[in-house]
Amino acid sequence: MKDSQKEVWLKRKKLGRSRYLIMFGIVPWGIGAALLTTIIEFISFQSINSVWIPIRLLVFAFIGFFVANGRWMTMENRFEPPAPRRP
């Protein structure tokens, strides 16, 4: 891992896992992907079905949780490899 990546990870790790998941997973994925799909829907159909907006927010927030959790685990394993197992 490069020193710059290491510094960024240390700053993000100080936030704590829960806050990291919210700031780098749930909020950006939930809002960003829901907004993007709503824009695509508007461009394609020239209307927006408001019933789908909360569903999109929930689905993409759920996906964002798992993406951020995977990134957290990957960075932790890269930065701090797990302790060796005892026989």
Side-chain angles (χ1 to χ4, degrees), residues 34-83:
L35 183 63
L36 180 66
T37 55
T38 303
I39 290 170
I40 291 170
E41 177 188 15
F42 182 74
I43 291 170
S44 300
F45 303 111
Q46 282 76 41
S47 66
I48 296 173
N49 188 349
S50 60
V51 173
W52 283 101
I53 293 173
I55 295 169
R56 288 180 184 138
L57 285 168
L58 287 173
V59 168
F60 289 123
F62 191 70
I63 292 169
F65 169 82
F66 285 106
V67 169
N69 191 47
R71 283 194 50 95
W72 176 276
M73 297 300 290
T74 300
M75 294 304 286
E76 262 198 348
N77 289 336
R78 188 180 298 169
F79 184 60
E80 297 175 15

